[in-house]
């Protein structure tokens, strides 16, 4: 767990800082928040306080009830000099969003608020995520200020190009997604501060396509969203993550190595090659169970009709668990249709030799496949834990938490 100091200045993108605080807290970090006076016109301190579980500070003359401690820590017995304490105690400081005005103040070394004073006094890695109107961002003054900050070792997270807050405006100035901000902040943390430093995680995601002829295939509806959320969550914890993506249209999370595959055979080959160096395998992909026994080399004509003979594909998960070495943890997934799904998943866990099975009830249209939400049951040798409906990011964190506990029980190095 690391201590992340978040500075929020006053722009419309301040709402994304709430999501950043939520993801960072979910990821096990202690987060303290400093807001500029104007930030509180956009989002309320109470929202941050509820999410991180600690008071928000605005003025450098304010008393910090936690005396510079981060969530999860005991406040010290003495009352330190408040405005320097959080900057001294954090492992990284991120200002997001950083408005043009705040960027200018930080470049000038101003210290007229808790946020600017802390930034000036902070010797931990400092990151800045500018977000503003594209013309303000492109202006020579802003660019010079950012160049100055970069020269001084501040990591500037470039804004994205896209639709801006003002109606009809498009350009560079959007605050990147909170997941990306967190990945950058975590990547800047000193080694050893991240809970999964040194752990190698292999995630498979998406659904395979089994060719019938050069243009047709048998596929399934897996979008890869759950696997992407798992890869992102593991990378946030400091793990070295490889993602084997079967026909996934989504981008891979920052810092994740991606291997694209199409068919179950390609997925099997990639997974077999990667598995020996893996500590934790998260087999979230949906490989086809059957493929065409023969594949036509030319596009088949409709007039000729089509009769398909299918043959089963290899059970990749079972094949991998059969070769497992000590210290490897294996998590499989099962999509079942209501009813006795838990019994079937329990049986599947044993048959495939996985440490845990993540059970998805695909009869519920509110979750699964294309949805950004999910609800799962985690089944391991000790029993079941239900994870109620939540975002796939939160579900991913719950799966990683449980995987980490299983590794710890087995004497694994991290988690
Ligand atoms: N799996 C795999 N190789 C396959 C099919 C599935 O490795 N050819 C993995 C999936 O990635 C998942 C787990 O096995 O982690 C369970 O998938 P599921 O499709 O439920 O398993 P099946 O073996 O197809 O189960 P069933 O007997 O219900 O068909």
């Amino acid at each position: 767990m690391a201590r992340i100091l978040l500075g929020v200045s006053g722009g419309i993108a301040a709402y994304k800082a709430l999501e950043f605080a939520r993801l960072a807290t979910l990821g096990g970090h202690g987060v303290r928040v400093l807001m500029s006076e104007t930030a509180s016109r956009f989002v309320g301190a109470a929202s941050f306080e509820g999410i991180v579980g600690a008071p928000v500070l605005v003025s450098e003359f304010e008393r910090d009830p936690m005396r510079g401690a981060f969530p999860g820590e005991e406040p010290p017995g003495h009352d330190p000099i408040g405005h320097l304490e959080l900057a001294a105690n954090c492992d990284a400081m991120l200002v997001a969003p950083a408005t043009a005005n705040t960027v200018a103040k930080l470049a000038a070394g101003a210290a007229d608020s808790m946020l600017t004073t802390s930034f000036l006094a902070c010797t931990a890695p400092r990151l800045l995520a500018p977000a503003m109107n594209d013309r303000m961002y492109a202006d020579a003054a802003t660019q010079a200020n950012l160049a100055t900050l970069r020269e001084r070792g501040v990591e500037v997270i470039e804004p994205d190009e896209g639709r801006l807050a003002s109606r009809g405006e498009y350009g560079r100035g959007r605050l990147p997604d909170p997941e990306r901000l967190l990945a950058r902040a975590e990547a800047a943390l000193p080694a050893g501060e991240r809970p999964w430093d040194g752990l190698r995680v292999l995630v498979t995601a998406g659904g395979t396509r089994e060719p019938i002829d050069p243009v047709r295939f048998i596929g399934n509806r897996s979008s890869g969203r759950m696997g992407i959320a798992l890869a992102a969550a593991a990378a946030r914890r400091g793990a070295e993550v490889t993602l084997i993506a079967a026909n996934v249209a989504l981008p891979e999370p920052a810092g994740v190595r991606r291997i694209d595959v199409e068919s179950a055979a390609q997925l099997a080959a990639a997974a077999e090659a990667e598995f020996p160096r893996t500590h934790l395998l998260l087999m979230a992909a949906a490989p086809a169970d059957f493929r065409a026994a023969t594949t036509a080399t030319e596009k088949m004509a409709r007039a000729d009709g089509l009769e398909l003979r299918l043959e089963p594909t290899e059970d990749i998960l079972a094949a991998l668990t059969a070769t497992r070495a000590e210290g490897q943890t294996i998590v499989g997934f099962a999509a079942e249709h209501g009813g006795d799904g838990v019994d079937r998943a329990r049986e599947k866990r044993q048959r495939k030799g996985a440490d845990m099975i993540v059970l998805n009830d695909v009869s519920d249209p509110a979750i699964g496949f294309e949805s950004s939400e999910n609800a799962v049951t985690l089944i391991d040798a000790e029993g079941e834990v239900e994870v109620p409906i939540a975002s796939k990011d939160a579900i991913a964190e719950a799966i990683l938490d449980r995987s980490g506990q299983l590794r710890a029980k087995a004497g694994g190095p991290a988690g």
Side-chain angles (χ1 to χ4, degrees):
M1 183 204 94
R3 289 160 293 198
I4 298 178
L5 185 55
L6 172 65
V8 183
S9 62
I12 291 174
Y15 74 92
K16 289 191 187 169
L18 285 172
E19 180 64 4
F20 172 89
R22 190 184 72 82
L23 289 177
T25 305
L26 264 175
H29 301 298
V31 181
R32 291 293 309 262
V33 180
L34 311 175
M35 287 171 80
S36 72
E37 200 74 62
T38 39
S40 49
R41 292 183 182 222
F42 292 91
V43 287
S47 302
F48 282 112
E49 288 173 346
I51 288 169
V52 307
V56 167
L57 303 180
V58 177
S59 155
E60 64 274 41
F61 298 109
E62 224 172 320
R63 268 214 130 70
D64 177 8
M66 287 182 64
R67 297 179 167 180
F70 279 70
E73 295 174 337
E74 272 301 309
H78 71 288
D79 201 357
I81 301 178
H83 68 286
L84 299 177
E85 207 55 20
L86 285 171
N89 293 344
C90 71
D91 297 308
M93 178 173 185
L94 167 71
V95 182
T99 60
N101 190 37
T102 294
V103 168
K105 283 188 194 177
L106 298 179
D112 64 344
S113 71
M114 189 64 183
L115 192 163
T116 51
T117 306
S118 298
F119 191 87
L120 197 58
C122 181
T123 53
R126 294 181 297 179
L127 300 96
L128 195 73
M132 62 197 75
N133 167 276
D134 61 331
R135 294 187 303 277
M136 291 169 79
Y137 179 69
D139 186 82
T142 303
Q143 289 302 317
N145 289 333
L146 289 171
T148 301
L149 287 160
R150 270 195 203 98
E151 264 166 39
R152 295 179 185 154
V154 175
E155 184 176 332
V156 176
I157 305 174
E158 297 289 335
D160 284 344
E161 193 173 321
R163 222 186 290 279
L164 301 171
S166 344
R167 202 165 169 178
E169 293 223 25
Y170 185 94
R172 184 165 293 282
R174 276 169 64 93
L175 188 68
D177 285 342
E179 291 82 7
R180 275 187 44 216
L181 295 178
L182 185 55
R184 292 286 290 268
E186 287 187 321
L189 288 172
E193 286 300 338
R194 299 174 304 177
W196 282 19
D197 274 324
L199 196 74
R200 285 191 294 273
V201 175
L202 178 63
V203 182
T204 68
T208 64
R209 292 177 178 177
E210 308 307 319
I212 296 171
D213 68 15
V215 297
R216 302 184 179 90
F217 58 80
I218 304 171
N220 63 67
R221 291 179 54 200
S222 176
S223 65
R225 264 178 227 284
M226 195 61 238
I228 295 273
L230 286 162
R236 282 200 293 274
R237 293 178 184 216
E240 184 189 323
V241 184
T242 300
L243 172 73
I244 303 179
N247 311 296
V248 176
L250 306 160
E252 69 278 12
V256 167
R257 183 166 74 102
R258 174 179 184 142
I259 301 170
D260 281 304
V261 296
E262 280 190 30
S263 65
Q266 290 169 354
L267 175 53
E272 275 157 30
E274 293 297 324
F275 184 63
R277 59 190 296 276
T278 296
H279 294 121
L280 171 63
L281 167 68
L282 300 162
M283 190 75 191
D289 287 326
F290 298 96
R291 69 173 145 245
T294 52
T295 307
T297 50
E298 284 177 20
K299 186 183 169 202
M300 296 158 98
R302 174 195 179 92
D304 295 341
L306 175 62
E307 203 168 297
L308 272 182
R309 201 166 58 77
L310 301 176
E311 62 181 22
T313 55
E314 173 189 16
D315 188 327
I316 304 165
L317 182 58
L320 294 176
T321 57
T323 68
R324 78 195 299 177
E326 208 177 313
Q328 290 188 304
T329 305
I330 298 174
V331 177
F333 288 70
E336 303 285 348
H337 221 89
D340 55 353
V342 174
D343 290 337
R344 284 202 302 273
R346 237 188 250 131
E347 180 276 325
K348 204 167 275 186
R349 188 187 79 80
Q350 290 201 318
R351 174 161 46 90
K352 299 201 180 212
D355 296 294
M356 177 163 85
I357 287 279
V358 178
L359 168 65
N360 247 315
D361 181 354
V362 282
S363 62
D364 184 346
I367 58 174
F369 299 126
E370 295 297 330
S371 164
S372 59
E373 299 211 305
N374 203 353
V376 296
T377 307
L378 307 182
I379 299 165
D380 58 48
E382 290 186 0
E384 294 104 47
V385 185
E386 289 207 12
V387 187
I389 187 157
S391 71
K392 284 188 174 167
D393 287 327
I395 299 283
E397 295 292 349
I399 293 169
L400 295 195
D401 283 348
R402 189 72 193 137
S403 308
Q405 286 163 10
L406 293 178
R407 286 190 62 73
K409 266 189 209 140

